[in-house]
Amino acid sequence: MNLEARIPSGPLEQKWSRHRFELKLVNPANKRKYSVIMVGSGLAGAGGAASLAELGYQVKCFCYQDSPRRAHSIAAQGGINAAKNYPNDGDSVFRLFYDTVKGGDFRAREANVYRLAEVSVNIIDQCVALGVPFAREYGGLLDNRSFGGAQVSRTFYARGQTGQQLLLGAYQALERQIGRGQVRMFPRHEMQELIVVDGRARGVVVRDLVTGELEAHLADAVCLATGGYGNVFYLSTNAKGCNTTAIWRAYRRGAGFANPCFTQIHPTCIPVTGEHQSKLTLMSESLRNDGRIWVPKQKGDTRPPVRIPEDERDYYLERKYPSYGNLAPRDIASRAAKQVCDDGRGVGPGGQGVYLDFSEAIGRLGEDAIREKYGNLFEMYERITAEDPYRVPMRIYPASHYTMGGLWVDYNLMSTIPGLFVLGEANFSDHGANRLGASALMQGLADGYFIIPYTMGDYLARTPRTPVAGDHPAVTAAVAAVRDRTARLLAVPGKRTPTSFYRELGRLLWEQCGMARNRAGLERALGEVPALREEFWRNVTVTGEAGELNQSLELAGRVADFLELGELMCRDALARDESCGCHFREEYQTEDGEAKRNDERFCHVAVWEHQGEGRAPVRHQEPLDYETVHLATRSYK
Ligand SMILES: Cc1cc2nc3c(=O)[nH]c(=O)nc-3n(C[C@H](O)[C@H](O)[C@H](O)COP(=O)(O)OP(=O)(O)OC[C@H]3O[C@@H](n4cnc5c(N)ncnc54)[C@H](O)[C@@H]3O)c2cc1C
C-alpha cells in the first residue's frame, strides 16, 4: 500500500502556497469536459461540490436525505474556529496550529494542521460573503467565544446553531450551481459500492431509496464527504442516519483505513436514561464558557444540588487543570467525568452524571445574557429532561460524538485509490488522536471550499482522460455485488431485528472499546463481534422488498457494515499499545491517570488494508515527523 503523504518541501508556513503553485492546472475550457462525483452534501460535500462546479467541472452530488440541507452538519451547535485574532488576545495561525497538534496528542501531520490553521481565516470571509449570520459584538466585529484546549477566544458562532447557518450558506452556493446546471443533485440516493477501473476510482453504485432501483454513475474522479462513523456505538450524538457504508465499501475496494480506534467521546451530553433510548443529545461545549462542572465531594450524596454547600462541591476540572479549568479538552474532561462517577460521586439516576452549573454565571451576567448566548440549548435541555437549567444545574455525561479515524488521505486529500478523494469527517486527516472543539466545521469547510478545488485539478491534469463504458465489466460487477448483497440480506430466514443486533454491537463496543480500553476487554470483543456478525447473517430479519422504499433494508445494510468496522476498531485499539488522546488504554497511564504515549513505537498513523473476506487486514504505518512542534507530554495543568 502506497502511503506517500506528498507533504510539500520547504518551510512549514510556505508549504501550502508553494504547493498551490506547483499543482497542475486545468484550463477553464477543459474543465467543462471533466465530471466529478461528490457523495455527501454536508459542509464538506456541499462546499466541495459548489466550489468544483463554480470552477466549471460537471458535478453529480448524492445524499441519502430528502434534501442536502438535512445533512448531519446542520446539528453542529457551538461554533467554528479561525485564527482571526479579533479579540486581540494573542491568537495567530501558529497558535491555532500548535493548539491543534497538541490537542490531537501529537498524532496528526504537522503540514496538514498548519494548512488548516492558515485557511481558517479565509473560511470566515467566505461564509460571511455567503450570508452566514455570525454573532456580532457591540462594535460590529464578529464575536468570538472559547472552546476546549485553547486559552484564546477564536470560535465564531451563530448562537447554538452554527452548523445550521453554515450549511444554509453552503447549500445556497450548491443551489446556485444546481440552478446553473453545473451540479446534478441526487437526494434519497445511497452509495453502496465504489467502481474501480484499472486501479482508479471511476464511479459509484447507488440505490434510489424511494424506488429501490440500482444505478451506476461514472465520472473522472470520485469524492466521499460522507461524515463520521460515531454511530457504531449505537447511542451517540450523531444524527440517526450517520453511518459508515460509503467509506467501508471503499475500504473493501482497497482504500486504506487510518486510525479507526480514534473515536471522540464528548463530555457534555444528556445522560442515558434507559434501554428504550435510540439517540443521545449533545449540550454544546460552548456551555463550558460559563457553566461550571462539579460533583459532590462525598460519595453517594443524594441531596438536591442547591442544598449542597459550596465547600462540599468538587469543581474537579478547575481543581485538576487550573490553567484550562472547565475548558480542558474533550478527552480529558470525559475521562475526568468517568473517574468521579466510577468513584461513586456521580449524580442523577444510576450515578452516571455530573453537574454543569450556570448559577454563578447567571448571578454575574444576568439570566438574559445567558439566554441570549445559549437560549436554544437551554430550551432543548428542558424539553428533553423537564428540568429548567436556569434554576437547577444541567446533568451531563460523556457520549460518542465524532470520529478522528477515517479513510487515509495524502496532503491532496486523495486516498490510496487514485482518483478517490475523501473530505470532512470521513477522512482521518487533521485531528490526530483527539479533536478540539469547533475544529470539525473548520476542517470540513477547509477541505470543501479551499483544498479540493486545487488538488482535484492537479489529479485530473495529470491523468489521461479515458471514458468508461456503462457495460464495462468493473461496472456490471459492482452493480451485481450490490444486488447480491441485498438479496442475501432479504433472504436470511431470521428472527432478530437489525436494531437488536445494532444495539448489542453498540453496547459491546462502548464497554470494551469506548472511553477506556484494555487488552483483556479488546481480546474479548474480538471474539464477540465476529460471533455477533455471524449470527446477524444467520438470524436477522429484514422485512419488505428490494424494489421499494425499505427502511428495514437500509438499516440492515448499515448495521452489517458497522459489524465489520467494529472489529477493525478493536484490532486497531489492541495494536496501539499506548494511550494517546481519546485512545485510553488503561495499561498505559501516568500515576495521576493521564494518557501515557509511547512515541518510540507509535508516533505514526496506523493504516489498515483489507485482504478479502475472512482474512485478517494488514496494518501499515505512516511515520509522523515533528519538525516544528517538539514532541512533549501534553499537559493542561
Ligand atoms: C450534535 C453535534 C454538534 C456538533 N457541533 C459542532 C460544532 O459546534 N463545531 C464543530 O466544529 N463541529 C461540531 N460537530 C461535528 C461536525 O458537525 C461534523 O464533524 C461535521 O458537520 C461533519 O461534516 P461532513 O460534511 O464531513 O459530514 P456530514 O454533515 O455528516 O454529511 C454527510 C453527508 O454524506 C451523505 N452520505 C453519507 N453516506 C452516504 C452514502 N452512503 N450515500 C450517499 N450519501 C451519503 C449524507 O447524506 C450527508 O449529506 C458536531 C457534531 C454533533 C454530532
Side-chain angles (χ1 to χ4, degrees):
M1 178 166 271
N2 177 11
L3 295 181
E4 171 60 54
R6 296 196 179 83
I7 297 170
S9 55
L12 188 63
E13 58 283 359
Q14 287 170 23
K15 282 183 194 293
W16 178 228
S17 53
R18 177 187 291 203
H19 191 61
R20 275 183 295 165
F21 176 70
E22 286 167 357
L23 289 173
K24 280 195 157 208
L25 298 174
V26 179
N27 95 43
N30 283 343
K31 286 196 179 96
R32 287 195 287 276
K33 298 178 189 157
Y34 287 103
S35 56
V36 176
I37 283 172
M38 178 68 71
V39 187
S41 63
L43 286 174
S51 304
L52 290 168
E54 185 76 46
L55 285 170
Y57 299 111
Q58 300 292 329
V59 179
K60 285 183 178 178
C61 184
F62 299 84
C63 71
Y64 59 70
Q65 288 94 348
D66 57 351
S67 157
R69 236 166 19 113
R70 289 186 191 271
H72 159 68
S73 289
I74 205 162
Q77 300 173 348
I80 174 166
N81 286 333
K84 285 278 198 188
N85 193 30
Y86 284 164
N88 199 23
D89 57 356
D91 203 10
S92 62
V93 166
F94 195 87
R95 189 177 293 280
L96 174 52
F97 153 73
Y98 176 83
D99 285 351
T100 309
V101 168
K102 177 180 166 189
D105 214 353
F106 302 90
R107 290 295 176 262
R109 274 189 212 132
E110 276 194 340
N112 282 59
V113 181
Y114 192 88
R115 174 177 66 182
L116 178 65
E118 195 179 343
V119 302
S120 70
V121 293
N122 307 108
I123 294 172
I124 301 303
D125 298 343
Q126 168 93 354
C127 294
V128 170
L130 289 170
V132 174
F134 285 121
R136 288 178 185 267
E137 42 96 291
Y138 181 73
L141 279 181
L142 301 184
D143 196 16
N144 282 167
R145 55 189 177 196
S146 303
F147 261 59
Q151 288 180 313
V152 296
S153 292
R154 61 161 77 98
T155 305
F156 294 76
Y157 65 99
R159 265 204 180 175
Q161 31 177 267
T162 314
Q164 178 170 352
Q165 299 305 334
L166 291 173
L167 190 61
L168 287 173
Y171 170 71
Q172 294 297 317
L174 182 66
E175 280 292 301
R176 184 175 119 79
Q177 298 303 330
I178 294 171
R180 292 178 63 220
Q182 284 295 122
V183 174
R184 276 186 69 199
M185 187 70 219
F186 295 83
R188 305 294 274 133
H189 280 69
E190 182 168 78
M191 171 191 157
Q192 299 199 336
E193 196 52 271
L194 180 73
I195 299 172
V196 181
V197 178
D198 299 332
R200 294 184 180 276
R202 294 304 301 267
V204 292
V205 179
V206 292
R207 180 169 180 269
D208 179 327
L209 297 179
V210 179
T211 64
E213 247 170 73
L214 298 184
E215 302 161 11
H217 292 265
L218 298 167
D220 295 300
V222 177
C223 298
L224 301 184
T226 47
Y229 54 87
N231 273 353
V232 69
F233 292 103
Y234 183 69
L235 286 180
S236 97
T237 61
N238 289 10
K240 277 300 282 177
C242 293
N243 66 84
T244 190
T245 290
I247 59 170
W248 193 253
R249 302 280 109 205
Y251 163 71
R252 291 177 59 104
R253 289 270 163 193
F257 204 124
N259 300 331
C261 81
F262 287 177
T263 55
Q264 176 162 84
I265 311 297
H266 195 299
T268 58
C269 306
I270 301 182
V272 177
T273 54
E275 278 292 302
H276 60 281
Q277 231 168 329
S278 60
K279 171 90 187 73
L280 294 176
T281 307
L282 175 75
M283 286 289 106
S284 166
E285 183 162 306
S286 59
L287 294 168
R288 290 198 268 146
N289 274 269
D290 288 303
R292 296 179 70 196
I293 294 178
W294 65 276
V295 288
K297 281 186 181 164
Q298 283 300 320
K299 283 186 189 183
D301 188 340
T302 52
R303 285 176 292 175
V306 283
R307 302 256 304 277
I308 302 181
E310 232 3 77
D311 62 352
E312 291 180 39
R313 299 175 176 192
D314 180 10
Y315 293 92
Y316 57 88
L317 287 179
E318 297 173 29
R319 171 173 58 79
K320 289 173 77 171
Y321 308 102
S323 311
Y324 286 72
N326 293 295
L327 283 171
R330 292 176 181 178
D331 54 334
I332 286 175
S334 292
R335 271 198 295 279
K338 183 176 185 301
Q339 275 161 10
V340 293
C341 292
D342 290 352
D343 193 30
R345 294 190 291 138
V347 299
Q352 297 288 294
V354 300
Y355 289 127
L356 177 61
D357 190 342
F358 292 85
S359 54
E360 190 266 338
I362 291 174
R364 179 166 41 87
L365 303 168
E367 195 171 311
D368 284 348
I370 295 297
R371 183 168 283 110
E372 179 72 25
K373 282 189 186 169
Y374 313 114
N376 68 317
L377 300 173
F378 275 49
E379 190 188 324
M380 194 156 69
Y381 182 86
E382 186 171 2
R383 283 199 197 172
I384 292 172
T385 63
E387 289 175 9
D388 175 3
Y390 293 100
R391 309 277 161 262
V392 290
M394 289 181 178
R395 279 178 298 109
I396 50 161
Y397 195 71
S400 158
H401 178 67
Y402 180 87
T403 47
M404 283 76 64
L407 291 188
W408 182 91
V409 287
D410 65 13
Y411 190 72
N412 289 341
L413 302 182
M414 192 160 83
S415 71
T416 53
I417 300 179
L420 179 70
F421 293 80
V422 193
L423 283 60
E425 193 175 337
N427 72 29
F428 90 106
S429 66
D430 297 350
H431 308 294
N434 171 60
R435 174 176 73 80
L436 291 184
S439 55
L441 302 183
M442 172 172 70
Q443 181 227 327
L445 287 177
D447 290 359
Y449 284 144
F450 293 106
I451 298 167
I452 195 71
Y454 291 95
T455 57
M456 177 60 75
D458 182 73
Y459 169 74
L460 295 174
R462 287 176 196 277
T463 309
R465 277 198 72 224
T466 45
V468 176
D471 59 356
H472 188 286
V475 179
T476 45
V479 176
V482 176
R483 186 166 295 122
D484 291 352
R485 190 178 142 87
T486 307
R488 226 181 118 203
L489 277 170
L490 286 163
V492 182
K495 295 211 168 14
R496 280 183 70 179
T497 61
T499 303
S500 89
F501 283 100
Y502 189 8
R503 196 181 273 135
E504 187 173 337
L505 173 73
R507 193 179 309 125
L508 213 159
L509 291 175
W510 178 251
E511 280 164 11
Q512 311 300 358
C513 194
M515 234 185 310
R517 298 112 188 238
N518 61 50
R519 173 167 290 278
L522 289 166
E523 282 173 349
R524 194 170 332 127
L526 280 169
E528 289 175 5
V529 174
L532 188 64
R533 190 170 62 235
E534 187 275 326
E535 192 199 332
F536 174 89
W537 284 103
R538 200 167 29 80
N539 194 21
V540 72
T541 175
V542 184
T543 53
E545 306 291 333
E548 62 181 9
L549 184 131
N550 186 340
Q551 292 192 309
S552 170
L553 179 62
E554 285 170 34
L555 180 63
R558 293 169 188 175
V559 173
D561 290 332
F562 278 139
L563 280 161
E564 294 182 13
L565 167 68
E567 182 180 344
L568 191 70
M569 284 166 59
C570 295
R571 270 184 199 279
D572 190 44
L574 185 61
R576 193 171 275 277
D577 271 321
E578 65 163 353
S579 292
C580 56
C582 288
H583 169 63
F584 190 70
R585 280 280 300 270
E586 287 168 338
E587 304 93 318
Y588 307 106
Q589 52 181 306
T590 62
E591 272 175 13
D592 45 358
E594 305 290 349
K596 199 166 165 190
R597 291 199 322 262
N598 181 341
D599 292 330
E600 233 163 74
R601 288 186 54 210
F602 292 99
C603 192
H604 60 243
V605 180
V607 189
W608 294 87
E609 182 181 12
H610 184 63
Q611 299 292 305
E613 209 68 61
R615 295 176 58 196
V618 172
R619 185 181 190 272
H620 302 272
Q621 299 177 12
E622 179 206 333
L624 292 167
D625 294 321
Y626 287 92
E627 291 169 1
T628 307
V629 180
H630 296 295
L631 287 166
T633 303
R634 177 173 170 246
S635 168
Y636 292 92
K637 296 196 166 169

